[in-house]
Amino acid sequence: MKLPFAHFVRWRLAVLGVACALVAAIPAVSVAQRSNEPVTLNFVNAEIEAVARTMAAISGRNIVVDPRVKGTITLSTERPVSPTSAFNQFVATLRLSGFTVVESGGLLKVVPEADAKLQGGAVSVGTPATGTQIVTQIFRLNYESAGNLVPILRPLISPNNTINVNPGNNSLVITDYADNLQRLARIIAALDISNATDVEVIPLQHALAADLAPIVQRLAESGGAAAPAGPAGQGVSDTSFRTTVIPENRSNSLIVRAANPARLNLVRSLVQKLDQPSSQSATGNIYVVYLKNADATKLAVTLRAALAATSPTGAGGGGGGAPAPAPTPMAAGASPATTPTQPSAQPSTGGQIQADPATNALIITAAEPQYRQIRAVIERLDARRAQVYVESLIAEVNADKAAEFGIQWQSPTGNKGDKNIGVLGTNFSIGGTNIIDLATKAATGAVLPATGINLGLVRNISGTYVLSMLARFLESNGDGNILSTPNLLTLDNEEAKIVIGQNVPFVTGQYTNANTGTGGSVNPFQTIERKDVGLTLRVRPQISESGTVKMQIFQEVSSVQASSINSATGLITNKRSIESSILVEDGAIVVLGGLLQDEYSGNQEKVPVLGDVPVFGNLFKSETRSRRKTNLMVFLRPVVIRDAADSDALSLDRYDLMRGKQEVAQPPSSIVVPVNNGPVLPPARRPEQPGAAPATAAPVAPARATPAPLGQ
């Protein structure tokens, strides 16, 4: 294939131009290096390595080309440029081919762009570096979260370079070209600004801060701009986009922090419109306050007493107030399960402050200044009370050991028909059955051999078989390990009780009216008292400001002794109880008390003198020994639950624990008996996190703490 003459001429001129540029570079370079004069570049499809050598001569720097850098570039200028501009154009042309120049130890290296971030480039903090090379810049943010800027800055950085977040000091580490880092620095400076205004205090003239704060909070949030959306349309939970309004009851002011000045102006406008004098023509000085946590009936009594104490006459606004009605006492012997539920308490009457138990509200009759004082006291008393989760652990370990050994023998002397027959032998009552009773009554079954191994010798005396010797050996071990963990959840300073056991009847008396005339009995009866037998835990916790928990505790473990069930004298109960007041830190384990008992007992029967002979004396004695060890300890751990999140975490943890136990206790699959599953709690539904997608599967269930259960 032949080229047209015009193309051939242009090709020849291009080749001659490249050759002339390479030949003329050396004298031009020498002149430029001596006088820093401008140079004209004219490289057409020149090898990168050759152009790099020329740039080294122009700039007076050492340039090394990585062996992986191959190819040609075209670099030309229409007019003479300075050596610095010529080098920058060389670097820019390399970027178009996927290569770049990095500086390490005073040496310039031409490497692939993907490997440039691994080379020893410059690292700067604060002001971005200048130039066209790849460097690493650290940006420290003051207001905005570094993680929030990554999705914004990532598309602005070349794919071969990196951006990383250091959450510890809220900074960004970006590796890219220096000229691009200057642009990123301007973007970061524009975004790294405070999203919230300073805290402002707005005093109120007429309205109450506690009443106005929730209204302003709702209006400000509904009227403001929505928070930005996260990935896949999910909301972003960021407090910087929220307006916070907090009441300050002492000075009757609102403390406001808005997301921006526009939102703050909105809050000011709302407060100005709502803070108006109230018109009391319809209701007079009567106010209704709905309580959130406190009991209206109890709080009304407390407030009336406080007003009476501060009144000049001593009876003030609290005089005449009827005390809260006491609950109807339970009849003697009645069970809580059968006692009818008490109706709601009736409204208390009299005085300035009345309670409405049906709505848990207070009705206050007072002038506005006095109402403000009363309302301030209510806000302090109507606070969410902390709860205490009490875990009690009762651990008991028993070890019983017994050993028995005995030899008995009987032998008659004389012949059949003799007038007198002698009997010689030993018989003991401990360590087994007496040999004489066993020999005379064994045939009828009235007496059975004792437990253990029994070795006997039977002799034929005049045609009758007679038991003449009995040896018995027994060793027994009994171990017991009992673990009980009663748990209770109760409000601060409120008593709670849990009973796990049986309600056992005990005969306390009986009467029989004997009729001597007929010999019969009339109107016989017994008096019975029922008592709870089992495990009882009663506790009243009190939380101090430092987090220490003071507890009044009563704990009892009782059981009916098995040997006394059919006894004529009545039932016998074994009881272990502790009643104490203690101080314990939140979440700490404390020992309440315990029993460490070690008993030994030994019984021996022997023939005098003969029983003391070594080895041979064992034929003339019977011996039993036993040892019993009892280790009993009672531990307790209170966990303070101050908010709903702690309560949910604790409940979900115990819920999952029971669900796991039920899943493990499922019956094995069987075709013969086709009942192959037992009841299992449904999966618990976790509380939704702000901005998270709503959960779908789960039914609502008791909600998950941190502390692991005692005894698990």
Side-chain angles (χ1 to χ4, degrees):
M1 178 180 178
K2 295 183 178 180
L3 293 172
F5 181 78
H7 291 179
F8 176 79
V9 171
R10 284 196 295 269
W11 175 76
R12 293 292 297 173
L13 290 176
V15 173
L16 290 175
V18 173
C20 292
L22 292 175
V23 173
I26 302 302
V29 167
S30 61
V31 174
Q33 190 171 5
R34 289 194 304 268
S35 59
N36 198 23
E37 294 180 355
V39 296
T40 302
L41 303 178
N42 187 18
F43 297 100
V44 179
N45 294 329
E47 292 290 337
I48 295 177
E49 185 175 1
V51 179
R53 288 198 299 269
T54 303
M55 288 296 113
I58 293 175
S59 62
R61 303 284 299 275
N62 294 326
I63 300 178
V64 178
V65 180
D66 191 283
R68 293 171 294 177
V69 177
K70 302 292 184 182
T72 61
I73 60 174
T74 298
L75 176 61
S76 61
T77 58
E78 296 294 336
R79 58 181 59 88
V81 295
S82 65
T84 302
S85 299
F87 181 77
N88 291 337
Q89 291 188 26
F90 170 63
V91 176
T93 305
L94 288 176
R95 289 173 59 178
L96 298 177
S97 301
F99 307 109
T100 189
V101 177
V102 296
E103 183 177 1
S104 176
L107 181 66
L108 298 178
K109 297 186 289 185
V110 181
V111 297
E113 187 182 59
D115 296 339
K117 58 181 175 291
L118 304 178
Q119 304 296 327
V123 178
S124 59
V125 181
T127 304
T130 59
T132 58
Q133 301 178 25
I134 289 182
V135 296
T136 299
Q137 178 74 30
I138 299 176
F139 298 93
R140 292 176 179 172
L141 307 181
N142 298 319
Y143 305 103
E144 187 61 51
S145 172
N148 293 341
L149 294 185
V150 172
I152 301 174
L153 301 178
R154 176 71 267 182
L156 305 178
I157 301 172
S158 59
N160 291 326
N161 294 322
T162 60
I163 176 172
N164 297 293
V165 176
N166 181 16
N169 59 1
N170 194 36
S171 60
L172 293 171
V173 181
I174 305 177
T175 300
D176 202 4
Y177 292 97
D179 54 357
N180 192 37
L181 287 176
Q182 294 179 2
R183 180 180 65 145
L184 295 179
R186 293 191 295 270
I187 296 174
I188 293 173
L191 295 176
D192 186 26
I193 60 175
S194 175
N195 287 326
T197 62
D198 293 334
V199 176
E200 180 161 337
V201 179
I202 304 177
L204 301 179
Q205 300 296 328
H206 307 285
L208 287 178
D211 294 336
L212 201 57
I215 300 175
V216 174
Q217 178 85 48
R218 294 179 60 183
L219 292 175
E221 287 299 321
S222 61
Q234 297 179 4
V236 176
S237 176
D238 190 350
T239 55
S240 62
F241 293 98
R242 300 190 59 186
T243 300
T244 304
V245 182
I246 301 175
E248 208 290 307
N249 298 318
R250 186 183 61 83
S251 61
N252 195 35
S253 304
L254 295 179
I255 302 175
V256 182
R257 186 185 183 193
N260 47 60
R263 191 75 65 87
L264 181 59
N265 291 333
L266 174 62
V267 173
R268 288 199 194 101
S269 176
L270 291 173
V271 172
Q272 184 179 3
K273 294 178 181 180
L274 295 174
D275 187 23
Q276 300 294 331
S278 60
S279 176
Q280 299 180 354
S281 58
T283 60
N285 292 332
I286 300 178
Y287 303 89
V288 178
V289 179
Y290 295 95
L291 302 180
K292 300 176 182 178
N293 301 286
D295 182 81
T297 304
K298 296 180 180 179
L299 186 56
V301 175
T302 303
L303 293 175
R304 285 198 294 264
L307 289 177
T310 58
S311 174
T313 60
T328 304
M330 186 184 303
S335 171
T338 59
T339 303
T341 304
Q342 298 296 326
S344 299
Q346 298 300 317
S348 60
T349 59
Q352 290 181 270
I353 303 173
Q354 303 179 32
D356 181 25
T359 58
N360 196 39
L362 294 176
I363 304 172
I364 302 174
T365 305
E368 186 171 350
Q370 189 179 26
Y371 169 69
R372 292 177 184 272
Q373 296 178 352
I374 297 175
R375 187 60 188 271
V377 176
I378 292 175
E379 291 299 325
R380 290 180 176 271
L381 296 179
D382 188 28
R384 179 187 176 96
R385 297 170 63 184
Q387 301 181 88
V388 180
Y389 182 74
V390 182
E391 292 182 289
S392 178
L393 186 147
I394 306 166
E396 182 175 357
V397 179
N398 299 323
D400 297 335
K401 293 184 178 181
E404 300 180 6
F405 169 78
I407 296 178
Q408 304 179 60
W409 51 273
Q410 292 286 336
S411 179
T413 59
N415 297 319
K416 184 178 181 180
D418 291 349
K419 184 176 181 180
N420 296 316
I421 297 177
V423 178
L424 179 64
T426 61
N427 61 297
F428 306 115
S429 60
I430 66 172
T433 307
N434 186 278
I435 189 174
I436 297 178
D437 292 340
L438 187 62
T440 56
K441 301 178 181 179
T444 61
V447 178
L448 298 177
T451 57
I453 183 172
N454 293 273
L455 302 177
L457 179 63
V458 179
R459 295 178 56 189
N460 188 340
I461 301 176
S462 301
T464 302
Y465 290 97
V466 178
L467 180 63
S468 60
M469 191 273 291
L470 175 65
R472 177 175 176 269
F473 304 88
L474 173 65
E475 183 175 349
S476 63
N477 293 317
D479 296 326
N481 186 358
I482 303 173
L483 181 65
S484 302
T485 56
N487 301 330
L488 271 177
L489 179 64
T490 180
L491 281 173
D492 179 26
N493 211 23
E494 294 287 345
E495 181 176 322
K497 178 181 179 181
I498 184 173
V499 177
I500 303 172
Q502 295 177 318
N503 195 254
V504 180
F506 290 85
V507 178
T508 59
Q510 57 184 355
Y511 176 75
T512 301
N513 184 13
N515 191 335
T516 56
T518 60
S521 59
V522 180
N523 297 328
F525 69 90
Q526 290 180 333
T527 57
I528 295 176
E529 179 184 4
R530 290 185 173 272
K531 295 183 179 180
D532 293 329
V533 176
L535 191 148
T536 302
L537 173 63
R538 189 171 68 246
V539 61
R540 180 193 292 273
Q542 183 177 356
I543 307 172
S544 66
E545 289 296 329
S546 61
T548 304
V549 183
K550 178 182 179 181
M551 308 184 69
Q552 297 178 2
I553 302 167
F554 173 78
Q555 188 170 53
E556 178 181 286
V557 180
S558 58
S559 62
V560 177
Q561 187 169 329
S563 60
S564 66
I565 291 179
N566 296 320
S567 174
T569 58
L571 298 176
I572 299 175
T573 58
N574 303 317
K575 183 172 71 173
R576 299 184 179 97
S577 64
I578 293 177
E579 187 169 1
S580 178
S581 296
I582 63 170
L583 285 174
V584 59
E585 298 297 326
D586 178 18
I589 300 177
V590 64
V591 59
L592 298 182
L595 170 67
L596 301 178
Q597 187 176 6
D598 193 350
E599 297 181 47
Y600 169 80
S601 63
N603 294 313
Q604 186 182 74
E605 292 182 354
K606 63 180 180 180
V607 176
V609 181
L610 294 178
D612 296 328
V613 177
V615 182
F616 181 75
N618 291 323
L619 298 176
F620 300 94
K621 66 181 178 180
S622 179
E623 186 175 6
T624 63
R625 296 180 182 180
S626 65
R627 186 173 183 179
R628 176 181 177 85
K629 289 185 177 182
T630 301
N631 297 326
L632 172 67
M633 283 291 169
V634 180
F635 302 90
L636 182 139
R637 176 173 65 182
V639 178
V640 178
I641 301 175
R642 300 188 180 274
D643 51 28
D646 292 344
S647 178
D648 291 343
L650 177 66
S651 300
L652 281 174
D653 181 76
R654 301 307 186 263
Y655 188 89
D656 289 346
L657 174 65
M658 292 305 300
R659 189 170 184 270
K661 298 292 185 183
Q662 289 182 334
E663 290 177 345
V664 173
Q666 293 299 306
S669 179
S670 174
I671 300 177
V672 180
V673 282
V675 179
N676 297 322
N677 51 21
V680 178
L681 291 170
R685 180 178 181 179
R686 263 58 181 175
E688 296 181 5
Q689 299 297 327
T696 55
V700 176
R704 201 180 183 277
T706 22
L710 283 173
Q712 295 297 322

